[in-house]
Amino acid sequence: MSQRFSRVKIPAGRARFKTKLFVFYIAYRDTQYLVTNQAMISHKGMRPQDVVVVLKLISLKSLLQSDKGAYIRQTAQTHLAVALGLSQSEISGSLQRSRIVRLVGEDKREVYQQNFLDFLFYGLRYVFPAEPGPLVVGMPTAHSAEPLRSLIVSQELYVWPDPQGSERGQAIEPLYNKVPYAARQDERLYELLALTDALRVGRAREIKLAQQKMKDYIYA
């Protein structure tokens, strides 16, 4: 049985209003798409050195209470570049990427602590994985360096390949090639980097200890 439907006549004024509303919605939607798409284009994905840059900001955080002037100077992009063995443009791009994904704030100095911990705990080993390699001379990392070295007894020694290193162990590829240099400049950063590698290559017990230590450092 067919049923006949009659068209409902919409007053001209209301029709014009609906048309304007629809056009406004389309313009808003497309603007949001362009803004989001432009952010993704400028982001181009996280890079391994981005993790180290954020860790460096964390290592400098203690200066904020004791010497704010020193904190401002040492978190300047020119100083970060020297301390990490990167160019200033690499530091600028790194901080911009971290800002877009909300690991750091608009000032590119404040670290969003919980966001960064979530990334380290649940994303790092999948995004920037590492596996123990052949025996090389290098600088201890992961559970083979403090603060885990004094907590874990292991016959396995993990090192970053480094001609200036003094120990021989299985090679762990650093997040970027200047990591040993950066670690030698800053003991606290070295410990944060070692914990980060424990999250990348550690077993369950090592990861659990590294997570707790990392929380202690970041929330200190």
Side-chain angles (χ1 to χ4, degrees):
M1 181 178 179
S2 62
Q3 185 175 0
R4 182 178 297 175
F5 293 93
S6 60
R7 293 184 178 181
V8 177
K9 187 175 182 180
I10 301 175
R14 184 177 296 177
R16 284 194 297 270
F17 173 76
K18 287 188 174 182
T19 300
K20 289 180 180 179
L21 187 63
F22 179 72
V23 170
F24 174 79
Y25 165 75
I26 294 297
Y28 173 79
R29 183 199 65 185
D30 290 349
T31 299
Q32 294 306 301
Y33 169 78
L34 288 172
V35 169
T36 303
N37 195 45
Q38 184 60 41
M40 292 306 296
I41 290 172
S42 64
H43 187 269
K44 298 180 181 178
M46 295 291 288
R47 299 179 187 177
Q49 65 263 32
D50 299 345
V51 178
V52 183
V53 174
V54 177
L55 290 173
K56 181 65 176 179
L57 293 177
I58 292 168
S59 77
L60 294 170
K61 188 176 64 171
S62 60
L63 287 175
L64 191 57
Q65 300 299 325
S66 60
D67 190 341
K68 190 173 182 179
Y71 171 78
I72 295 298
R73 289 191 300 274
Q74 293 191 43
T75 54
Q77 293 185 15
T78 51
H79 192 283
L80 291 174
V82 172
L84 298 177
L86 295 168
S87 69
Q88 188 173 346
S89 63
E90 286 174 315
I91 294 292
S92 177
S94 175
L95 290 171
Q96 177 68 0
R97 289 188 293 273
S98 292
R99 183 196 64 79
I100 289 172
V101 298
R102 297 187 63 78
L103 296 183
V104 301
E106 292 295 325
D107 65 355
K108 299 178 183 177
R109 283 185 166 95
E110 178 191 5
V111 176
Y112 289 154
Q113 297 172 154
Q114 190 58 54
N115 291 357
F116 188 54
L117 281 175
D118 287 345
F119 174 70
L120 291 179
F121 292 178
Y122 309 116
L124 180 72
R125 66 190 291 122
Y126 303 106
V127 179
F128 305 125
E131 290 185 346
L135 291 174
V136 297
V137 173
M139 190 173 181
T141 187
H143 66 268
S144 302
E146 294 297 345
L148 296 184
R149 188 167 191 164
S150 58
L151 299 175
I152 296 174
V153 177
S154 176
Q155 298 301 314
E156 297 174 323
L157 183 64
Y158 291 166
V159 301
W160 297 312
D162 178 25
Q164 298 183 40
S166 58
E167 300 196 45
R168 186 174 178 82
Q170 289 184 273
I172 299 297
E173 184 180 359
L175 287 166
Y176 71 101
N177 61 353
K178 291 296 182 67
V179 161
Y181 163 82
R184 278 193 289 270
Q185 316 306 311
D186 182 342
E187 182 179 354
R188 187 175 181 83
L189 176 62
Y190 182 16
E191 294 181 355
L192 287 166
L193 288 166
L195 289 173
T196 300
D197 276 348
L199 295 173
R200 295 170 72 206
V201 300
R203 298 183 180 89
R205 178 169 177 262
E206 294 154 5
I207 290 173
K208 184 176 181 180
L209 286 171
Q211 287 178 340
Q212 186 54 59
K213 285 291 183 182
M214 188 67 80
K215 286 180 182 179
D216 293 343
Y217 275 84
I218 290 181
Y219 286 123

